[in-house]
Amino acid sequence: MSSPPHTPPHTPRTSRAPDVLVVGGGIIGLVTAWRAARRGLVTALVDPEPGGGAAQVAAGMLAAVTELHYGEETLLALNLASARRYPEFAAELTEATGQDLGYRRCGTLAVALDADDRAHLRELHALQQRCGLESEWLSGRECRRLEPMLAPGVRGGLRVDGDHQIDPRRLARALVTACERAGVVFHRVWAARLGVGRGGERATGVVTADGTVLEAGRVVLAGGSLSGRLAGVPEAVLPPVRPVKGQVLRLTMPGAHGPLLNRTVRAVVRGNHVYLVPRESGELVVGATSEELGWDTTVTAGGVYELLRDAHELVPGITELPLTETRAGLRPGSPDNAPLLGPTALDGLLLATGHYRNGVLLTPVTGDVMAHALTTGELPDEARPFTPRRFGAAPAVPELPDPPAPSDLSEQPV
Ligand code: GLY
């Protein structure tokens, strides 16, 4: 690779090329960089706004059990492995930064409002039992005893005491601090192109949007929904990741009369998933739509209406609360809803992307898996099913128009 055409004054300098360059400063890129640096690897990260991305929108449910889906038993094992790591991971991150992450071991209640929802929940319960997971069927009355603000019409529910929550914005902020303290060098600029050696035999770094060449021993592509868009990545290793839009609302609960809800409450209402995540800070997060609309991040009247309508059916009292924020983000969807982790067929290029609905939950295990892969060249056993190589040599990247300028992939305060 040739030397950079110019080096702008804001670009930090390292005395030598880092061992690892992470492309993408969302929580997955940050945790990868933090864990790599803690293992003694000289690490850099390129992103114009580290700590941004989908974590700024996500509700932060750690819902391995209540978000179980048919056919995703392999993913379940990784989700559970990550959920088990959370207490230690959160303690370690708080210790490293002095920051509270809003990690709440509050449990989750999944409820049914009509006969169809109830049948759906019964099926989920049976699947959870077949998978050896802990969940308890409750009558409507028992649900309301746990959560008195639930609608009188609730027909039954599943109590899952092991599905918790964390505040993803705090998590992202803490990871930025932890990276800084571990010596990760931040390049606050967009990565424009992967650098590949002459002959295209290995990844050598990236060229940034301002033309700076950043060389590195290895490159980890952790760009969330944009991971399939980095120019210069050979087609055979381009991650088959697509954006899946989620609209999310934030309301504020009054503290005076005790909490509105004690735990996360969720339901499938007429086929739509809705969840209410109450934070100790008084924030109530209501999510989320799931829309295959390419790069669109518009907050729509229809999306807000459906979320409020369904949330109101579950907890009628929410209509009294101030609506403080509406936002839309993009989940990085993959063909089997599971992440792509570890080395690719291109020497020097690794992936940490495609976490879809589980990015926050999978943050601890992703950090450990990627640090292991970067230090040994191998995936640990628990992550072998998630090798990017499972999609073969020429993955189907969906045909989408180019994304808008990334700063327009945004959120809209009310
Ligand atoms: N895991 C919640 C969501 O993706 O909406």
Side-chain angles (χ1 to χ4, degrees), residues 59 61 63 67 266 275 287-289 331 356-358:
M61 288 180 301
E67 283 207 2
R266 56 185 302 153
Y275 43 80
T289 64
R331 306 175 183 89
Y356 188 39
R357 303 182 73 95
N358 297 304

Side-chain angles (χ1 to χ4, degrees), residues 29-258:
L30 288 166
V31 78
T32 299
W34 181 44
R35 291 314 214 189
R38 293 275 285 234
R39 297 260 188 128
L41 298 170
V42 177
T43 304
L45 183 148
V46 55
D47 189 302
E49 222 181 292
Q56 294 299 315
V57 182
M61 288 180 301
L62 308 175
V65 178
T66 44
E67 283 207 2
L68 177 63
H69 288 95
Y70 281 103
E72 293 186 0
E73 288 79 359
T74 310
L75 175 59
L76 171 67
L78 194 72
N79 285 345
L80 289 173
S82 206
R84 277 193 296 274
R85 279 167 163 86
Y86 242 105
E88 202 181 323
F89 171 81
E92 200 183 332
L93 188 52
T94 294
E95 163 92 28
T97 62
Q99 294 176 23
D100 173 20
L101 310 176
Y103 177 48
R104 256 190 97 189
R105 305 184 70 168
C106 58
T108 295
L109 184 64
V111 300
L113 285 169
D114 63 24
D116 285 349
D117 302 345
R118 200 166 178 276
H120 169 89
L121 218 49
R122 283 282 193 197
E123 287 295 319
L124 176 62
H125 190 213
L127 178 61
Q128 289 167 341
Q129 288 184 318
R130 284 200 295 282
C131 294
L133 301 171
E134 277 182 35
S135 66
E136 183 190 359
W137 182 264
L138 302 182
S139 67
R141 186 176 300 209
E142 288 168 325
C143 290
R144 282 189 300 281
R145 204 172 296 137
L146 279 184
E147 294 296 343
M149 297 306 283
L150 280 175
V154 164
R155 304 275 296 261
L158 280 176
R159 176 178 177 164
V160 178
D161 287 343
D163 276 2
H164 303 308
Q165 60 153 302
I166 194 166
D167 184 337
R169 291 178 178 174
R170 290 177 183 228
L171 173 63
R173 199 179 317 132
L175 283 168
V176 171
T177 304
C179 282
E180 284 166 350
R181 292 191 177 169
V184 174
V185 172
F186 286 105
H187 300 275
R188 294 176 195 272
V189 61
W190 286 103
R193 163 172 291 276
L194 183 73
V196 286
R198 228 172 266 133
E201 73 287 356
R202 86 168 269 120
T204 55
V206 300
V207 183
T208 66
D210 61 11
T212 304
V213 176
L214 301 174
E215 295 186 337
R218 266 135 325 138
V219 177
V220 178
L221 181 48
S225 60
L226 289 164
S227 298
R229 311 298 303 199
L230 185 64
V233 179
E235 187 137 329
V237 293
L238 203 59
V241 171
R242 70 185 195 285
V244 182
K245 176 179 173 182
Q247 301 189 48
V248 174
L249 317 177
R250 282 174 163 80
L251 297 83
T252 304
M253 300 178 289
H257 311 292

